[in-house]
Amino acid sequence: MKSTWASVATVVGLLARNAVAQSWSSIPEIEVYGQHFFYTNNGTQFFLKGVAYQQNYSPNGTTSENATYTDPLADGDACRRDIPYLKQIFTNVLRVYAIDPTKDHDDCMEQLAAADIYVIADLGEPATSIRSNDPEWDVSLYRRYTGVVDALNKYKNVIGFFAGNENVSSGNQTTAAAFVKAAVRDTKGYIQSQGYRSTLGVGYATADVPTRDELAAYFACEPGNSGNSTQIDFWGYNVYSWCGDSNYQSSNYGERVEFFSDYPVPVFFAEYGCIEGVTGGATNRPFTEVAVLYGNMTEVFSGGIVYEWFMGENDYGLVELTDNDASVSPYPDFTSLSSELAKVTPSPTQRSDYSATNTAPACPSVGTSWEAQASPLPPSVNPQLCACMAANLQCNIKSTDDTKYADAFTFICEKNDGEFCAGIERNATTGSYGGLGGCDPKDQLAWVANQYYLGNNKASSNCDFNGLATVQSASTSDGCSSLLQALGTEGTGTVASPTGKGTAAVGTEGASSSSSKAGAGSVYPPGFVGYGWAIGMGYVALAGISMAGMLVL
């Protein structure tokens, strides 16, 4: 088989010569204008010919405290191994699902730039992402997302980021869309506040789910003409409906082109490459959809990203790593993909000849199939606010054992009909949000414990919760007064978005807020509905113990 890849040496030579002229600091940026991507240096339309590039990783709107991942952009040797083969399938984009912001990415990004390869990066990681069934947008997520932006923004071959991937996979998960859209808004705002490249986009990737039309409208709509502050910059579509030797009609590709024909931002396949029913098995995908995707679909779709590069348990890989991961051995569908892509010649549009006339769609209404209000969205996360609030309380939580928080939330919020808990409310269906919904569980519990303490005569026995809490002297550090005033005594006010580095430690603004991430929504209720709290399944599991007149811990 290795003789089949004799051209690798030629590719390597070309890359070496190209590397002298082009790096991640000089490669032309890709910008979004209307429904298309364009090169900023010459205004030519950019079509994605991409590959999902992450080993043993399956992002799907869930979190796992114990999951690990390998940063694919931090391994320069792996990039050297793979890039010559990636170029044989005409790759110009990699999609990576999780990077480590603390690692150095210069080597790999330099190699990719020399090979004219760009990157779209997902912002989450296995233990820190917006959950489908118990969604939130909080300090831990904000710091993770902004950390990825901080790490990758300097590379001009980074097109942008996905704020979520398949967070809504069924009809009862549509409220998660509100929290992902809040993440889109805050990530876009962060890019702007830090003076990062204006060409960096933020999008969302969806599975082919029953609510796909509502999802597409929701993420592109702009309630109150909010000036593109909450609208996605591009839409990724994970589509697996073309299996084997299918066709334009049977795959419903035609329906997708018609639906997105007037969409206001670029649309592309963020994943494609069905393995079901393929003659000869999963590694023999014929990729006959390529001719259509880069043919009569290009007026609406901007290409796509094949799933995936590395072979894993799901059998979608294009290549196998051999010789202790030192070498690449392509599968037959690698050859098919290369052959099909070699035949396509999409006709690019010049930016100078294109007018962006598509407008934002109407937002979907809350009903039987859609549960997320378009406005308001969950409030902007402000780590400084959370720290200021915690320092200003008279009753605070001293325990960092978040496995013991659930019963305290139950006692304070559910057993008191939510009287003390408006500040942490997060109900996407009614659009009702407290100003502290973005704080971590420890700080949210501190707020409601303090409200309970103040509402019950400040008796020391009402600031204990079986040893979780303690009375403290309230303090207001520099820079906190305006935030606390905006928040209000009930915790329901709107506070300004932060302007500093998202990953910066809270210092003089107030006592440091806990940055630990509680597991799988297990410590507090996700939203206030009617007279009581709607309790997530993990939370219910922890809240079943009662002792001595209250649900103690």
Side-chain angles (χ1 to χ4, degrees):
M1 178 176 289
K2 291 182 179 178
S3 62
T4 306
W5 312 111
S7 59
V8 170
T10 301
V11 175
V12 171
L14 290 172
L15 294 182
R17 290 193 294 273
N18 196 26
V20 175
Q22 185 163 273
S23 70
W24 54 256
S25 62
S26 63
I27 191 171
E29 299 167 36
I30 304 299
E31 67 173 344
V32 170
Y33 178 62
Q35 203 174 19
H36 302 308
F37 294 101
F38 294 95
Y39 288 97
T40 54
N41 62 333
N42 58 21
T44 300
Q45 186 178 356
F46 178 82
F47 294 102
L48 285 77
K49 297 177 181 177
V51 179
Y53 188 75
Q54 188 121 21
Q55 198 167 9
N56 300 322
Y57 189 77
S58 298
N60 58 1
T62 61
T63 61
S64 173
E65 290 286 312
N66 299 318
T68 60
Y69 66 94
T70 300
D71 183 343
L73 301 181
D75 189 342
D77 290 337
C79 289
R80 263 179 286 279
R81 176 197 65 205
D82 294 335
I83 286 174
Y85 292 92
L86 288 166
K87 293 308 295 181
Q88 290 191 45
I89 54 173
F90 303 91
T91 302
N92 64 8
V93 171
L94 296 182
R95 179 182 180 183
V96 297
Y97 293 96
I99 66 107
D100 183 344
T102 66
K103 291 188 175 180
D104 189 323
H105 304 96
D106 286 359
D107 187 1
C108 189
M109 294 303 293
E110 188 77 3
Q111 294 180 59
L112 293 173
D116 296 313
I117 296 176
Y118 293 80
V119 169
I120 297 177
D122 288 53
L123 291 169
E125 54 96 5
T128 314
S129 60
I130 298 173
R131 298 182 298 269
S132 300
N133 293 319
D134 185 14
E136 58 185 309
W137 172 235
D138 67 0
V139 168
S140 295
L141 288 160
Y142 179 79
R143 286 178 171 148
R144 163 69 195 182
Y145 278 37
T146 56
V148 173
V149 174
D150 288 341
L152 297 183
N153 78 88
K154 71 176 182 179
Y155 303 112
K156 291 186 177 181
N157 53 332
V158 172
I159 296 173
F161 310 96
F162 281 127
N165 180 72
E166 299 187 7
N167 299 84
V168 178
S169 296
S170 62
N172 63 354
Q173 296 174 340
T174 57
T175 56
F179 297 89
V180 179
K181 194 168 183 179
V184 170
R185 175 202 61 208
D186 288 358
T187 304
K188 291 178 64 167
Y190 183 74
I191 290 169
Q192 184 177 21
S193 73
Q194 299 306 306
Y196 293 153
R197 289 188 289 115
S198 61
T199 52
L200 286 170
V202 183
Y204 177 73
T206 183
D208 196 12
V209 294
T211 56
R212 61 178 183 263
D213 292 354
E214 290 93 340
L215 276 167
Y218 184 83
F219 278 99
C221 73
E222 281 285 86
N225 190 25
S226 50
N228 194 39
S229 63
T230 68
Q231 184 185 65
I232 53 166
D233 296 311
F234 47 78
W235 181 254
Y237 206 174
N238 302 340
V239 178
Y240 293 91
S241 62
W242 187 304
C243 301
D245 292 312
S246 187
N247 57 63
Y248 191 65
Q249 289 74 31
S250 299
S251 63
N252 294 321
Y253 275 24
E255 291 182 13
R256 293 171 174 84
V257 170
E258 182 178 359
F259 177 82
F260 286 106
S261 61
D262 58 355
Y263 205 60
V265 301
V267 181
F268 57 92
F269 285 175
E271 293 176 6
Y272 76 95
C274 175
I275 63 173
E276 301 298 326
V278 173
T279 302
T283 59
N284 288 273
R285 289 176 288 182
F287 285 110
T288 50
E289 65 265 49
V290 165
V292 174
L293 179 59
Y294 297 95
N296 60 322
M297 294 177 66
T298 54
E299 288 189 9
V300 175
F301 278 78
S302 296
I305 297 172
V306 172
Y307 190 82
E308 62 179 323
W309 183 249
F310 299 100
M311 178 56 74
E313 293 181 1
N314 60 16
D315 291 334
Y316 276 91
L318 291 168
V319 303
E320 179 183 3
L321 299 183
T322 59
D323 301 329
N324 294 319
D325 293 349
S327 303
V328 173
S329 179
Y331 287 105
D333 54 358
F334 176 99
T335 304
S336 298
L337 180 61
S338 178
S339 176
E340 292 298 324
L341 285 168
K343 299 174 187 176
V344 300
T345 54
S347 300
T349 297
Q350 286 299 123
R351 193 184 190 282
S352 58
D353 298 329
Y354 171 70
S355 297
T357 58
N358 293 348
T359 57
C363 299
S365 300
V366 171
T368 56
S369 63
W370 187 259
E371 298 179 336
Q373 288 283 358
S375 181
L377 293 172
S380 295
V381 172
N382 191 322
Q384 181 184 353
L385 166 67
C386 301
C388 288
M389 176 274 294
N392 191 247
L393 301 177
Q394 298 178 48
C395 175
N396 204 347
I397 297 299
K398 63 181 180 180
S399 172
T400 58
D401 185 356
D402 56 22
T403 64
K404 296 182 177 180
Y405 295 169
D407 293 327
F409 275 116
T410 296
F411 175 73
I412 299 170
C413 297
E414 185 178 4
K415 296 302 180 180
N416 291 278
D417 293 339
E419 177 184 355
F420 306 111
C421 299
I424 66 169
E425 183 177 354
R426 50 186 178 97
N427 189 325
T429 300
T430 63
S432 301
Y433 300 101
L436 300 165
C439 296
D440 65 30
K442 181 176 182 291
D443 287 344
Q444 289 196 36
L445 181 57
W447 171 264
V448 301
N450 186 71
Q451 293 293 91
Y452 180 83
Y453 172 72
L454 296 178
N456 285 277
N457 303 316
K458 298 185 182 180
S460 59
S461 60
N462 291 319
C463 181
D464 182 73
F465 304 101
N466 205 35
L468 283 180
T470 186
V471 175
Q472 69 175 23
S473 297
S475 64
T476 304
S477 301
D478 292 341
C480 288
S481 295
S482 60
L483 295 175
L484 295 173
Q485 184 176 2
L487 178 66
T489 57
E490 298 298 316
T492 55
T494 301
V495 178
S497 301
T499 57
K501 284 286 186 183
T503 52
V506 178
T508 58
E509 301 92 339
S512 179
S513 173
S514 170
S515 61
S516 65
K517 181 73 178 165
S522 61
V523 295
Y524 64 106
F528 185 79
V529 181
Y531 65 90
W533 289 88
I535 303 172
M537 291 184 66
Y539 175 68
V540 170
L542 285 175
I545 304 172
S546 63
M547 295 174 61
M550 63 174 283
L551 297 182
V552 293
L553 307 119

